[in-house]
Amino acid sequence: MTKDQKDNLFSLVKSMTKSEKRQFKLYVGRLGVNDDSKFLNLFNVMDKLSSYDEVAILKNANIKKQQLANVKAHLYKQILISLRLSPSHQNTRSQIREQLDFASILYHKGLYKQALKILDKAKDVAIQHEEKNLAYEIVELEKVIESQYITRSISGRADELTIQAKELSQANVIASKLSNLSLQLYGLFLKFGYAKNQDDAKEIQDYFNARLPKYDISQLGFREKLWLYKAYLWYSFLMQDFLNCYKFALKWVSLFEQNPEMIHLNPVFFIKGNNYLLESLFYIKNKDKFKEYLDKFEDIINTPSFNKDENVEALSFLYYNVNSVNYYFVDGSFHEGLQLIPKIEKALPKYQDRIDEHHTMIFYYKFASMHFGAGNNRECIHYLNKIISNKSLSMREDLQCFSRVLNVVAHYEEGLDYHLERLLRDTYKYLLKINDLNEVQKEMIRFIRGLQDIFPHDIKKAFVKFHKQLKQYENHPYERRAFLYLDIISWLESKIENKPVAQIIKEKYLEQYA
């Protein structure tokens, strides 16, 4: 299917709510001359279209082709100005910036006292809400004004501003170094993935220690602590140290609980912290804690006072539902989890412009795995085909790899032998193309390659042998994560013991937490 042509202006228009569109028309209509302007005509035409169609736009908006680019640019700017004035997009950060702009205007008009009064109030709000970059910017403007208009009523004003600027600058430097480190570690994860061996672990450890700034935790404010916990969290993920992932994700979430006013100001950071906390609990298979924090997360994001714009709404949907599915994977409660799939799938189209295609494919992989665990192999194959057939998507190799392996296993389970030989050949070829295979994937290649030559009465022996080969990696510090995508060991045990795979996983969970 051909994708709709993407256009930034069209996407912006379609993202607007009814109240935002109404406000935009009121904003434009404040000047009568705009009533029949080209940019307003363009807005009305785009608002009615279901997909971007330049031919229809030129025909109905009374705009010449050579004018279109300029009119679109003007409309884009006017919409942003209108949205900026909307109460729904006003927050503490934007209000501080507005006061800074007002003070700058007053300064240029020579009204120094008025400018300084506004700046002093704005600075207090900025410091109170941990907006130290803005506070530093305010102090710098105060210094400029004071250098031209000395307020003799406050002695030592120059020293006061100098000390304040120095303290804010030091805090901002530490926050910047920590945020840089956090971002660099995330970049390493996207580029190389998790540490696959001792050499990788040593390289990541050296990289982290060389870039971690010196700090005194008692001197750090909210924002510096937030970046510190994020940096340690990503370091722990790269090292596959999931207990420390839990430790620093919990510190992250607790930081917001200790500073509840920051949830409103930084809702995205709050949501992501909860997601990483739940992800860590999923990896260490602590279902009771998982349920406790999932319920708390649900309560907060559904509270009417929770600041939920379009971005926050999409992230809340994504992280809550991914973790709701993960909850049933912890102990193999696949049949109970099936009821989530139609609800999530029905809601996904609403967020298709705000949730990237990769995360949609992750949902499909989890749906497929849920159905596989419940014994619904044909449904499992249905969702896997959505991933395997997606040629336009450049996604992580591990997701494609395990989708193809699970597809082979599901076809085998369903007895679809007429497809099996071709699938084995295609999967084997695909896995060979992956440059950086881990040991579990290599064992899978050998098993899949040999499966074609095994007689039916020898299948069980092959399962036992393959199980023995994989078992050595189950608790390996760098290889065990492969089993989180596809619990191939539990599947092999289900074949060997003639039990459903869900029963095997549940028995293991109960034995571990008995």
Side-chain angles (χ1 to χ4, degrees):
M1 188 177 76
T2 307
K3 284 191 173 184
D4 292 336
Q5 184 180 351
K6 293 291 182 183
D7 180 86
N8 292 336
L9 174 61
F10 185 76
S11 299
L12 177 61
V13 171
K14 288 300 174 184
S15 74
M16 295 170 72
T17 63
K18 286 183 179 178
S19 62
E20 287 170 344
K21 290 173 184 175
R22 185 167 58 251
Q23 179 174 308
F24 173 70
K25 290 182 179 179
L26 289 171
Y27 166 73
V28 172
R30 75 197 190 285
L31 298 176
V33 72
N34 286 331
D35 286 348
D36 196 33
S37 63
K38 285 183 167 55
F39 78 88
L40 185 57
N41 289 341
L42 177 60
F43 175 83
N44 290 328
V45 170
M46 281 192 164
D47 188 27
K48 292 173 184 175
L49 292 174
S50 57
S51 60
Y52 184 74
D53 184 345
E54 195 166 293
V55 174
I57 288 169
L58 292 171
K59 180 181 177 182
N60 295 302
N62 194 26
I63 299 171
K64 295 177 182 176
K65 189 172 179 63
Q66 57 267 37
Q67 296 176 314
L68 185 59
N70 287 335
V71 176
K72 284 172 68 176
H74 183 63
L75 174 58
Y76 194 91
K77 181 180 178 181
Q78 294 302 312
I79 291 174
L80 289 179
I81 293 171
S82 171
L83 290 174
R84 185 176 180 273
L85 296 172
S86 171
S88 63
H89 295 285
Q90 291 290 315
N91 56 34
T92 303
R93 197 175 292 116
S94 63
Q95 288 164 4
I96 295 168
R97 287 198 174 280
E98 184 179 63
Q99 294 302 305
L100 186 55
D101 290 342
F102 291 163
S104 182
I105 291 168
L106 291 169
Y107 160 63
H108 286 293
K109 291 186 72 64
L111 302 172
Y112 301 139
K113 270 192 174 180
Q114 293 181 44
L116 287 169
K117 188 176 180 180
I118 286 177
L119 288 174
D120 195 47
K121 288 182 179 178
K123 182 173 62 181
D124 287 344
V125 174
I127 292 172
Q128 182 185 346
H129 289 86
E130 290 284 331
E131 292 294 335
K132 291 176 183 172
N133 279 315
L134 282 173
Y136 180 76
E137 200 175 332
I138 290 168
V139 171
E140 288 300 303
L141 182 53
E142 283 183 304
K143 284 158 65 178
V144 169
I145 296 173
E146 291 285 8
S147 69
Q148 297 177 47
Y149 178 77
I150 304 300
T151 53
R152 298 183 185 277
S153 59
I154 305 177
S155 61
R157 178 69 168 155
D159 288 340
E160 179 190 330
L161 289 175
T162 302
I163 293 167
Q164 207 166 39
K166 185 178 179 181
E167 289 174 349
L168 288 168
S169 177
Q170 288 172 342
N172 285 333
V173 166
I174 290 177
S176 179
K177 286 182 177 179
L178 289 170
S179 65
N180 287 345
L181 177 57
S182 174
L183 187 61
Q184 286 165 333
L185 291 170
Y186 181 58
L188 280 180
F189 169 70
L190 291 179
K191 190 173 182 181
F192 301 112
Y194 298 87
K196 299 175 181 65
N197 50 53
Q198 195 63 43
D199 289 340
D200 279 3
K202 179 72 167 59
E203 192 175 332
I204 292 165
Q205 189 176 34
D206 291 344
Y207 185 95
F208 179 78
N209 290 332
R211 288 163 176 78
L212 182 67
K214 291 181 180 179
Y215 63 89
D216 178 351
I217 192 72
S218 65
Q219 297 299 311
L220 299 184
F222 173 86
R223 196 164 292 275
E224 297 89 75
K225 285 180 182 176
L226 179 61
W227 286 116
L228 178 67
Y229 299 151
K230 286 183 76 174
Y232 270 107
L233 176 76
W234 276 113
Y235 172 67
S236 303
F237 265 125
L238 282 163
M239 299 292 281
Q240 299 199 50
D241 181 356
F242 299 127
L243 276 173
N244 266 324
C245 287
Y246 168 65
K247 172 185 172 182
F248 288 104
L250 183 59
K251 282 178 178 286
W252 178 340
V253 172
S254 298
L255 188 63
F256 277 99
E257 290 175 349
Q258 294 156 15
N259 302 272
E261 71 281 0
M262 291 299 172
I263 295 175
H264 179 76
L265 194 60
N266 301 282
V268 171
F269 285 153
F270 172 75
I271 290 169
K272 285 183 176 289
N274 277 276
N275 175 59
Y276 292 132
L277 177 60
L278 290 165
E279 194 173 335
S280 304
L281 288 166
F282 168 66
Y283 288 147
I284 61 178
K285 292 188 178 297
N286 189 327
K287 190 169 185 179
D288 291 339
K289 281 283 183 188
F290 191 104
K291 184 74 168 73
E292 176 190 339
Y293 284 108
L294 184 65
D295 288 346
K296 283 173 73 174
F297 182 49
E298 182 184 20
D299 288 344
I300 290 174
I301 61 176
N302 289 329
T303 302
S305 60
F306 184 65
N307 182 22
K308 196 180 279 189
D309 58 24
E310 289 91 337
N311 181 43
V312 171
E313 184 186 5
L315 290 175
S316 298
F317 168 83
L318 172 63
Y319 294 140
Y320 176 73
N321 284 290
V322 164
N323 285 298
S324 293
V325 172
N326 283 345
Y327 174 74
Y328 295 98
F329 278 84
V330 176
D331 65 348
S333 305
F334 302 116
H335 288 91
E336 293 93 324
L338 289 175
Q339 44 90 20
L340 290 177
I341 295 177
K343 294 177 185 175
I344 297 172
E345 202 167 17
K346 185 179 179 181
L348 270 172
K350 178 183 175 183
Y351 301 98
Q352 63 182 357
D353 292 331
R354 284 171 277 164
I355 294 178
D356 60 86
E357 205 170 6
H358 172 71
H359 279 101
T360 302
M361 293 302 117
I362 287 177
F363 270 122
Y364 289 152
Y365 185 79
K366 290 185 179 295
F367 295 166
S369 300
M370 184 84 80
H371 276 295
F372 177 75
N376 304 329
N377 296 301
R378 288 186 182 270
E379 285 298 310
C380 169
I381 292 165
H382 165 71
Y383 286 109
L384 291 173
N385 282 336
K386 289 175 178 284
I387 302 170
I388 296 167
S389 63
N390 193 324
K391 307 301 181 187
S392 66
L393 185 62
S394 175
M395 68 176 117
R396 290 195 331 237
E397 286 180 339
D398 49 9
L399 186 59
Q400 274 282 7
C401 166
F402 287 107
S403 295
R404 290 169 186 269
V405 172
L406 181 57
N407 194 38
V408 170
V409 174
H411 274 80
Y412 172 80
E413 280 284 80
E414 191 63 15
L416 301 173
D417 298 338
Y418 54 92
H419 283 311
L420 206 54
E421 188 176 339
R422 177 181 57 80
L423 279 176
L424 285 166
R425 185 172 61 251
D426 291 347
T427 303
Y428 179 57
K429 284 179 181 177
Y430 179 82
L431 292 176
L432 283 179
K433 284 193 297 184
I434 299 175
N435 297 321
D436 197 16
L437 289 171
N438 60 37
E439 291 304 316
V440 173
Q441 288 167 328
K442 289 175 184 175
E443 292 290 354
M444 285 180 179
I445 288 179
R446 296 186 191 106
F447 178 69
I448 289 169
R449 181 174 57 188
L451 203 58
Q452 301 171 82
D453 304 320
I454 296 173
F455 292 108
H457 62 274
D458 290 327
I459 285 284
K460 194 161 187 174
K461 289 179 185 176
F463 285 147
V464 171
K465 183 180 177 183
F466 186 36
H467 177 266
K468 186 178 179 181
Q469 289 165 336
L470 286 187
K471 194 71 177 171
Q472 63 182 313
Y473 301 114
E474 189 173 26
N475 296 310
H476 191 283
Y478 305 116
E479 298 291 341
R480 61 185 176 178
R481 194 176 182 280
F483 302 116
L484 294 170
Y485 287 94
L486 174 59
D487 193 349
I488 196 78
I489 289 180
S490 293
W491 175 71
L492 289 167
E493 288 168 356
S494 78
K495 305 311 295 177
I496 294 165
E497 298 178 30
N498 293 318
K499 293 179 180 178
V501 67
Q503 185 180 339
I504 294 287
I505 294 172
K506 186 155 283 190
E507 286 172 0
K508 283 184 180 180
Y509 175 80
L510 293 173
E511 184 181 336
Q512 184 178 353
Y513 291 97

